[in-house]
Amino acid sequence: MAVALARPRPSRNPIVAEDRRAGWVFILPAMAIFIVFVFGAILFSFYVSLHNYSLLSRGGAWQIFVHPGRTWVGLDNYRDILSSDDFWLAFRNTAWYALGVVPAQTFFGLVLAVLANRKIRGRTFFRTAFYFPAISSSVVISIIFLWMYSARGPINYVLRELGFPTPRPVWLANPNGIFAMLLHELGIEHVSVWLEGPSVALLSIMMLNVWTTTGTMMVIYLAGLQNIPGDVYEAAAIDGATRFQMFRDITIPMLRPVTAFVVTVGLIGTFQVFDQIWVMSEGGPAKKTTTIAYLVYVEGFRQGRGFGYASAIAVILFLIILALYFMQRRLTAQDYQM
Amino acid sequence: MSAKESSGLLNRKVSKRARALAIPTGLVMASVGPFIKRTAFAQTTVRVTGWTSSGAEYDLFSEVLQDFEAAHPDIKISYEPVPSDYPTKLQTDIAAGTVADVFYVDSMFAPDLMAAGQLLPLDDFMSQSGVSVDDFYPGLIASFQWQGQTYGLPKDWSPLGTVYNQQSLSDVGITAAPATWDDLRAAGQALLDATGEPRIMIAADPARYLAFHYAAGAEVFSADGSQIVINSPQAEQALEFYYGLYRDGIATTPADAGAQWPGDGLAKGLSDIVFEGNWLFPFLQDSAPDLQYGVAELPAGPAGKVTLAFTVSFSAFAGTKVPEAAWTVINYLTGPEGMLKWTSLGLAMPARPGLAEQWLQQYPEREPYLNSGEYARGWQLGVGGQAFYNDAAAEMQALFAGSQDVPTTLQRMQEAAEQRIRLQATPVATPTA
């Protein structure tokens, strides 16, 4: 359905030219802010990643421009990162996080959207209720969940009342991988670190994140659902399709571009997760909730290996997300041409 | 200003732009106006920052600052406390050059700041004002000295001690606080047998464990400071004892019991024995005013008594525009008058031995804390010590979760220290008093 748009030729009409100039003037403030604080900051961080610079370096950031030779380390930061245990631990944590959260929030987002799209009583209430966590402050929600997950919190209380075991150490204090724990029960010890699975602590934060982002995904899916023409369903109904067949063979295929979008946004969001980690676990216990974005913060701001090193991690994170985006675009190439 | 000058040089269009610029410039001038006026009365503003953990702490410190202003009408203080994540805020402000003139520096983080040249040397000011290094406990002031210069004066200090619920201990027939590790384990076992619950509360935290580490005769640095020697047979004995309390069900952790920190556990009745500093008591006063508690020195280990001494300095930013006034503020806050008033809150003890007697009159039950000054070890591990602390805490958490054993934990702590601590510039941790 792609429409080829002819590139408009610059007009010689003085009125149009005036408009264009006015247009530039209007976007100039926003462009200036974007160039300085977003684009400039990104370039700066790439430049810093090639230097040995920390926030406490004497003379401040100007030094690396004035005397770049003194702090220049080339790709050393990158080499150190790729050979450090901390980075690969953070990579595993982030990967588990994305692997768990993205499918879950996509699935629940779709289910909720389908339910909230039906003509049922109190539809507006449900839509608002499901969307509510997404618009609440993530810091406030995180603090509430800190209490819910605590040893004497409601989650443990319910589990105990129902006769289920509660984890020890308690949820957010438990760095043990869930697959490693399962395998331990089966008598298999010393599994590879790549197969340990997310820690109980990370899983707790993942569940919170699914809960908060599902609402956003629901809203995106709702918009997609309303773009599906009703006559397609009518035709299917005349052909004798059941509700489930319509869902499987019409709704899901018609929503593919939306799903592609939801998964992309979800991947980017999960790979950048920071605030819930910062509030709930500060990367602990035993660094098992330290995501790549949180590692950037720890190394840059918390007396770590400095800003240059942290910037290099940020660049690597950018490259990872970029690679994921292209992979995902390839896999769903036809969806973008709708 | 610029609008007038430019109109002759540039075309009309640009001068219009310049006029547009002149409006915000005028607004800025108007808003700085009051500040300029103040300096006209020869009053200097000194910005002071630090963290604050409670309303009472904030109120009392503000009061001390008001006393200062009353005594020094030429200096106005702008107090800008940081509610959380203080080290992050401090570092970014330093990098931006907008940091306060006078700020708190924690002893563990001090070497990083001193080595980076971000703190103002105070020695010349000290000799001018007749302040001697000997006015302070040597171990405390040494935490803020670097290559023969002094970069901060300690505002207060606190060691760790044993605080226990008197009633619970006497219920199981224990009348005195545990004096040795064996006593501690026996007391914990007796409490466990009587209540069916672990009643000692410890945290998987190097800021507590290290006292036990030293008390077993283990060290972090070799005697000449050239090597990291965390991993040793003595350390294994210490960590085995500390973690063993938890593994064997005699001790619990705040997370397991549902407390914020061990002091909270004591206040909520979730534990009977904790190892904390003076900061515990104002908290107990608020949250468990009826608790009858006892205070004792930390139990002695195989190598004798050791505790950790935590201290914080007032230091000035190397780039401050008002070094003289900043020193006047530091000198007052760490001087006899300011320090005595500040420490009267009971959060910490005076860093001047000369004030100890007076302080003890107010808090006689805390004599064991004061006595432990003789053998306390400074909470400082050289440049990179804070980064090492973060790594070591992660290793202890893994140990407490059963993910790794004691020898692995020590091995990994050793590796973390070798990576994080800049050895050639590391002074050997010194006893306090």
Side-chain angles (χ1 to χ4, degrees):
Chain A
M1 269 201 270
V3 181
L5 286 173
R7 202 186 149 81
R9 224 182 299 154
S11 169
R12 303 224 179 274
N13 183 332
I15 295 169
V16 174
E18 182 105 312
D19 278 359
R20 186 172 298 117
R21 213 175 306 129
W24 277 107
V25 170
F26 278 124
I27 64 164
L28 204 65
M31 279 299 284
I33 289 170
F34 175 80
I35 287 169
V36 174
F37 292 105
V38 178
F39 202 64
I42 291 169
L43 286 180
F44 176 68
S45 125
F46 179 72
Y47 182 68
V48 172
S49 76
L50 304 172
H51 289 260
N52 179 14
Y53 164 69
S54 97
L55 283 176
L56 295 180
S57 296
R58 226 178 300 196
W62 288 119
Q63 287 305 307
I64 60 175
F65 290 107
V66 183
H67 305 289
R70 290 188 195 161
T71 50
W72 176 265
V73 292
L75 295 174
D76 281 9
N77 284 331
Y78 292 88
R79 198 197 55 210
D80 292 351
I81 290 164
L82 295 177
S83 62
S84 85
D85 292 344
D86 279 1
F87 173 75
W88 290 109
L89 175 59
F91 180 82
R92 286 193 296 276
N93 291 338
T94 313
W96 285 123
Y97 192 86
L99 263 170
V101 170
V102 174
Q105 73 190 9
T106 308
F107 174 76
F108 289 120
L110 176 61
V111 170
L112 288 184
V114 170
L115 294 179
N117 198 36
R118 294 166 74 173
K119 293 182 178 61
I120 47 168
R121 208 180 247 274
R123 187 169 67 160
T124 321
F125 169 78
F126 287 117
R127 284 183 183 181
T128 315
F130 295 144
Y131 193 55
F132 187 72
I135 53 166
S136 311
S137 152
S138 71
V139 171
V140 172
I141 289 179
S142 300
I143 292 171
I144 293 171
F145 269 73
L146 266 182
W147 166 73
M148 303 220 339
Y149 280 127
S150 73
R152 280 154 201 273
I155 293 178
N156 266 8
Y157 177 80
V158 169
L159 286 177
R160 261 196 304 267
E161 290 297 305
L162 296 175
F164 288 107
T166 55
R168 181 176 186 264
V170 73
W171 298 98
L172 287 167
N174 194 329
N176 296 315
I178 53 169
F179 299 150
M181 284 163 76
L182 279 176
L183 292 169
H184 174 80
E185 294 297 315
L186 300 172
I188 302 166
E189 304 289 343
H190 304 298
V191 293
S192 152
V193 287
W194 291 91
L195 300 175
E196 279 179 359
S199 61
V200 177
L202 189 66
L203 188 73
S204 312
I205 300 176
M206 285 160 67
M207 292 194 284
L208 158 72
N209 200 41
V210 169
W211 183 72
T212 52
T213 47
T214 295
T216 309
M217 303 311 170
M218 177 197 76
V219 168
I220 299 169
Y221 268 126
L222 263 178
L225 281 175
Q226 280 158 13
N227 272 342
I228 301 177
D231 48 8
V232 186
Y233 289 108
E234 279 168 30
I238 289 165
D239 290 343
T242 63
R243 260 239 161 95
F244 178 72
Q245 283 173 327
M246 283 195 241
F247 179 71
R248 192 188 60 193
D249 297 327
I250 298 175
T251 311
I252 290 184
M254 297 285 277
L255 282 177
R256 282 191 66 148
V258 181
T259 305
F261 176 76
V262 163
V263 170
T264 308
V265 169
L267 273 176
I268 293 173
T270 49
F271 263 81
Q272 292 180 336
V273 64
F274 176 81
D275 43 0
Q276 285 105 335
I277 307 282
W278 185 76
V279 174
M280 295 183 72
S281 66
E282 298 199 55
K287 299 186 183 172
K288 288 292 175 66
T289 62
T290 298
T291 56
I292 299 177
Y294 193 77
L295 188 66
V296 171
Y297 171 74
V298 169
E299 296 292 359
F301 292 96
R302 287 222 164 149
Q303 307 96 40
R305 293 179 173 87
F307 228 62
Y309 188 89
S311 296
I313 305 175
V315 172
I316 292 175
L317 176 61
F318 165 73
L319 294 176
I320 292 172
I321 294 176
L322 197 70
L324 279 173
Y325 169 73
F326 279 118
M327 257 164 61
Q328 195 259 344
R329 257 200 96 130
R330 265 196 103 112
L331 288 174
T332 56
Q334 76 280 20
D335 299 338
Y336 286 92
Q337 278 147 27
M338 292 280 292
Chain B
M1 22 177 281
S2 63
K4 231 179 189 175
E5 288 162 15
S6 60
S7 56
L9 294 166
L10 302 160
N11 61 28
R12 192 189 62 87
K13 239 183 188 170
V14 176
S15 99
K16 212 194 245 168
R17 201 185 294 161
R19 239 179 289 157
L21 271 177
I23 297 168
T25 318
L27 281 175
V28 171
M29 292 308 287
S31 58
V32 231
F35 295 99
I36 291 168
K37 223 183 211 169
R38 262 189 214 135
T39 39
F41 294 121
Q43 203 182 36
T44 317
T45 299
V46 175
R47 292 167 60 222
V48 177
T49 190
W51 59 86
T52 180
S53 54
S54 72
E57 191 182 343
Y58 175 86
D59 291 344
L60 184 77
F61 189 61
S62 304
E63 228 175 89
V64 176
L65 294 176
Q66 277 162 22
D67 289 355
F68 169 85
E69 284 181 325
H72 300 83
D74 53 330
I75 297 176
K76 189 183 153 30
I77 289 182
S78 161
Y79 177 43
E80 302 158 9
V82 177
S84 81
D85 226 353
Y86 177 76
T88 307
K89 171 92 171 112
L90 188 72
Q91 286 181 90
T92 36
D93 282 357
I94 285 176
T98 57
V99 74
D101 303 297
V102 173
F103 46 80
Y104 289 16
V105 175
D106 179 80
S107 58
M108 184 57 101
F109 190 36
D112 293 72
L113 288 171
M114 294 190 289
Q118 298 290 0
L119 302 182
L120 187 72
L122 301 177
D123 304 85
D124 290 348
F125 294 113
M126 285 167 68
S127 53
Q128 275 165 33
S129 309
V131 175
S132 163
V133 169
D134 302 332
D135 296 343
F136 299 87
Y137 288 108
L140 298 184
I141 198 162
S143 300
F144 306 106
Q145 287 176 321
W146 183 261
Q147 294 174 350
Q149 290 206 286
T150 309
Y151 291 94
L153 294 181
K155 73 183 185 82
D156 55 22
W157 75 288
S158 180
L160 295 175
T162 308
V163 185
Y164 57 95
N165 184 325
Q166 277 181 329
Q167 187 61 48
S168 305
L169 261 69
S170 66
D171 283 352
V172 293
I174 300 168
T175 48
T180 63
W181 285 9
D182 291 340
D183 289 352
L184 176 64
R185 209 179 149 99
Q189 188 66 53
L191 288 162
L192 174 65
D193 293 343
T195 61
E197 278 176 35
R199 303 297 297 175
I200 299 174
M201 191 176 280
I202 54 177
D205 185 350
R208 299 291 174 275
Y209 161 69
L210 212 56
F212 290 80
H213 185 84
Y214 291 140
E219 289 293 335
V220 174
F221 302 108
S222 57
D224 62 352
S226 69
Q227 273 178 310
I228 304 278
V229 292
I230 290 178
N231 193 4
S232 65
Q234 293 92 329
E236 203 167 320
Q237 190 188 0
L239 193 54
E240 176 61 35
F241 173 76
Y242 190 77
Y243 166 60
L245 290 173
Y246 175 72
R247 181 195 53 212
D248 302 340
I250 296 170
T252 183
T253 61
D256 278 3
Q260 303 285 326
W261 58 293
D264 185 39
L266 185 67
K268 283 183 179 155
L270 300 172
S271 76
D272 295 323
I273 300 177
V274 300
F275 310 107
E276 291 293 332
N278 279 280
W279 52 81
L280 171 61
F281 302 106
F283 174 79
L284 284 182
Q285 188 70 46
D286 278 351
S287 47
D290 299 328
L291 180 74
Q292 292 291 312
Y293 58 81
V295 181
E297 297 169 52
L298 283 189
K305 292 181 183 178
V306 178
T307 187
L308 297 177
F310 297 90
T311 184
V312 172
S313 77
F314 277 113
S315 295
F317 178 43
T320 177
K321 299 273 192 303
V322 288
E324 300 278 341
W327 162 250
T328 312
V329 174
I330 293 175
N331 192 24
Y332 180 85
L333 295 174
T334 60
E337 192 187 335
M339 187 181 287
L340 195 64
K341 177 142 186 177
W342 163 247
T343 51
S344 70
L345 187 64
L347 263 176
M349 309 194 295
R352 290 169 169 264
L355 301 177
E357 275 303 309
Q358 257 173 294
W359 187 82
L360 200 58
Q361 282 170 14
Q362 196 185 350
Y363 297 106
E365 76 284 3
R366 296 199 216 161
E367 201 177 353
Y369 279 91
L370 216 48
N371 294 342
S372 62
E374 286 168 30
Y375 53 79
R377 307 268 305 246
W379 176 240
Q380 191 175 72
L381 297 170
V383 175
Q386 185 70 44
F388 161 69
Y389 168 74
N390 297 340
D391 283 353
E395 298 306 335
M396 287 195 67
Q397 288 158 0
L399 171 69
F400 271 60
S403 321
Q404 62 191 31
D405 57 10
V406 168
T408 315
T409 306
L410 285 168
Q411 177 59 38
R412 292 180 57 94
M413 277 163 99
Q414 169 88 21
E415 285 162 13
E418 284 165 1
Q419 279 181 25
R420 297 284 192 176
I421 298 175
R422 216 167 78 198
L423 258 186
Q424 64 275 20
T426 301
V428 179
T430 42
T432 295

